Structures are given as structure tokens and as C-alpha cells.
Amino acid sequence: MEKLWSGNLHAALDPVSDEINASIRFDRRIYRQDIKGSVAHARMLGAKGIIPKADAEAIIAALKDILSEIDAGSLAIDESCEDIHSFVEMELTRRLGDVGKRLHTARSRNDQVALDFRLFLRDETQDIIGKTLALLSVLSDKAEAHRADIMPGYTHMQRAQPITMGHHLMAWAMMLTRDVGRMKDALRRMNESPLGCAALAGTTYDIDRMGPALELGFDGITKNSLEGVGDRDFAVELLSAFAMCMAHLSRFSEEIILWSSWEFRFVSIDDGYSTGSSIMPQKKNPDMAELVRGKTGRVYGDLMTMLTVLKGLPLAYNKDLQEDKEALFDAIDTLKLSLNVFAPMVATMKAHAENMRAAASGGFINATDCADYLTRKGMPFRTAYRVTGDLVNECMARHTTLEDLPLEVYKSFSDLFEDDIYENISLEACVSRRVSEGGPALASVDRQIEWVRAFIGKEENPS
Ligand code: ARG
């Protein structure tokens, strides 16, 4: 296939150069955005009289045909072309002859690819935001269903204080709302059109950059032509938001894996999201959660790829930048797949309230509440902490719990203890007394759920 750039070059590329140089194998994926961008460019060329209006119209009509034929599968993308831009232009010229050859006036593949990539990332990120919101909605429903189910809260993986499953699930929800925020921030900063920066130094034609920018849904145009074609900060920002979102899914996966183990038994993962073993008939493995945890490494790697491609890269366009696409495509595919599996996996996951409660009943998880009881009766907290520590040791020596320790033993440690100690250290009391904003008390968790649902509503229907 003749190259678009064979201006002063006469000999054909060595096949191995073709192999490393060509990007059509992966950038065929952005054909829609490429054609959309070319339609806007052609319209501007016609409107400004840079090419005849009738030619612009013919180009636009042919581009639209090409798009619907690729969509329908009746036009195959020819992979002997160097990249998707070459293919679309070749196909246009095959159909329109000289008229097709006018499309590339006042444009370079450098601003073209920078434009296409932004359009593509905008579409994909919006899709990812939608999937994140769907997971948030699953989490809110699940949290509501388990708002009163007591479980141990952990620090250092040691039982710490009682919480509820609703409270715990909403923690993950809050993190995911920030992921949506980060993606939207990146989209906002990215939403400037580089079209018209041309190769690096703009163009001698009297073009209109704002018209196509607005037609393509941008808020404005990039303000420096070198930067417009040479910058990929937006790719790093999005990858970083995707990597962070994967980090959250990975940590959540780790908990689901632990919770579904025989040691915990807090949840059962539905069969649809579990696998068995080819040798051990009793096994039910949390593979999907493990894969999400494992695939997080890929997305971190994609982020590192992009950062490293940019390191030391002089302005403006350099072919290194072609390496941006596979990293982003991989991160997008991985995150989408992870979100796709996560929402139904969490939705169908069964929580075992009795097991969570049993785990919360051991481990002296109410020791802080016992100390708070003494503090409320006038003892300084640090002293109350000491007394309760001694009580816990006493319980351990007697193989009993704070709930079952007789009142006279309590009283031998402090005469502030009365019969009401037992209701004060019940798990229900421990949870319901934690009324501080953000805590596990029912009303607080309900407010968290309400806030997340309002967040989803606002994101889905921005007014
Ligand atoms: N396939 C190239 C890319 O993805 C398009 C831009 C090529 N520009 C150039 N001057 N060689 O970056």
C-alpha cells in the first residue's frame, strides 16, 4: 500500500519496519472517531472556502457511507494500510478520486490522531463512569439490605470494633464516587480540540478551529499548537484515575476472597461467579475476584507505560506517542470487564449475618465501649483504658467474655460498674451509640446511602 507520506522517499519500507511502524492492528478501533473528526474538518474547509463547498459535501457524504459500511461489516478495514487514518483517506480517495485528496488540506495526522484519541477516550470514559455508577447502585442496595447486620471491623486484620455490613460496604461506595470525580476532572481538562494544530506549527490556511471543536462537543481549543499535538497528559490523568479505580476493586476483591473463605464464612459468592477445582470436589473458588485483583497489575503497568513514553520526549510529535493507544485500550478493557463482573458478583453475593455476628462476639471487640462506659461515669479515659485492659486479661484467664463476666468481678476492678454495664457493651449498643457522622449507627449509614444515591442521580441526570 502506498504510504501517505511518500513525498520524498522512493524506496519501499523494509517489511520489518512496516511491522514496527504500522498501528492499524490496534488503532482500527478508533475508526468512528477518526471519521467523525474528518467530517467536522471537511465541513470547516468547505465553510471557509478552503475547498469547494460541493467537494466538502461529497467528502462528508462519502465519509458517512464509509462509517456505516464499517459499522455494518460490509466494508472491511484493510490492514495493509499503515494506520486507520491512512485507511479512511485511501477509501475516500478510491471513491471520490481527486475530491477525496482534498480532505487532508490544513491538517496533519499529528493533530488528527490527537483529536481522535481524545474523542475515543471521552466516549470510553463516559461508558466507564456509567458502569461505576451501576456498581455504586448495587452497593447502596446491598448496604441497605445489610444495614443492621453486625460484623467485626478490623484494623491490622485484628478484630477492632463492631460495625455493620452496610457501613463497611458504603466505605467502598465512597471511594468509587471519588473515582467518578477523578474521571470527570480528567475529561474536563481534556475537552479541548487539538484539530488545526496541524503538524506542529499550525497552518497557513485561514481555518476556523472553534467551529469543528464545538461540533465535536469540545469546550474550546488547545491554545498552543506544539502542545496540542505533543501532549498526552490527558492519557496519564485518565490512566491514573483508572488505576486508582482498579486499586479499589482489588482491595474490595481481597475482602470478598477473605470473607468467602471457610475461616470467615461472612459471604457466599454465587455459583455464577465461582469456579470449582478439577481435583478437589469440595472447592468453590472466588476466581472472578482474584482475577480483578490480579488484573490491577496490568492497569498499573499501563499507567507506567504512558508515563515512561512521555519521559524525556521532546516537542512536538514523536512516533513514541503511537505507544499511547495500546496502554489505554488495555486499561479500558480491563477496567470495564472488572466493573462488568463486579456489579453482579456483589449483587448476588449472600451475606451470612449469623457468622458475622458470631465473629463480632469474640475478640473483645466491645472493650473500647467498656472503657467509654467508665469514662461516662467520670473516670479519666486513660485510666478507664487501663482498667478495661486488666478486665480483658481477667476474661482471657477465665476463658470468658466481657458480656459473660459476673458483676462482682467487674466491681472488684472498679465500683463504678453497675448492672447496666451489660446493655452498654452489647453489640447493638456498641453500634447504635456510634452516632458520630460517618459512623456505623443505622441513621448514619442511612444518610451515607442517601448521599450516594443522590450522587448517582446527579451524575445520571445532570441538570
Ligand atoms: N499512527 C500514528 C499515531 O498513532 C499517527 C500519526 C502519525 N504521524 C506521523 N507524523 N507519523 O501516532
Side-chain angles (χ1 to χ4, degrees), residues 70-109:
I70 301 177
D71 274 344
S74 54
L75 173 64
I77 293 173
D78 180 355
E79 294 213 357
S80 69
C81 293
E82 179 178 321
D83 55 23
I84 190 62
H85 326 295
S86 311
F87 169 72
V88 173
E89 195 177 324
M90 178 208 73
E91 184 59 29
L92 185 72
T93 304
R94 198 180 62 74
R95 295 179 186 210
L96 300 181
D98 278 352
V99 170
K101 294 182 186 169
R102 295 193 195 280
L103 171 63
H104 212 52
T105 315
R107 186 176 74 168
S108 154
R109 273 187 302 162

Side-chain angles (χ1 to χ4, degrees), residues 28 58 72 167 178 200 230 235 239 278 295-296 306 337 348 358 389 404:
R28 52 177 299 146
H167 186 222
R178 288 198 303 276
L200 77 163
L239 273 171
S278 57
K295 282 174 185 293
T296 299
M306 195 65 234
L337 190 56
T348 55
D404 294 326

Side-chain angles (χ1 to χ4, degrees), residues 23 27 83 85 109-110 113 232 317 319 321-322 325:
S23 53
D27 68 16
D83 55 23
H85 326 295
R109 273 187 302 162
N110 298 352
V113 74
R232 293 291 184 277
Y317 179 86
K319 198 59 172 261
L321 289 177
Q322 182 166 284
K325 283 170 217 67

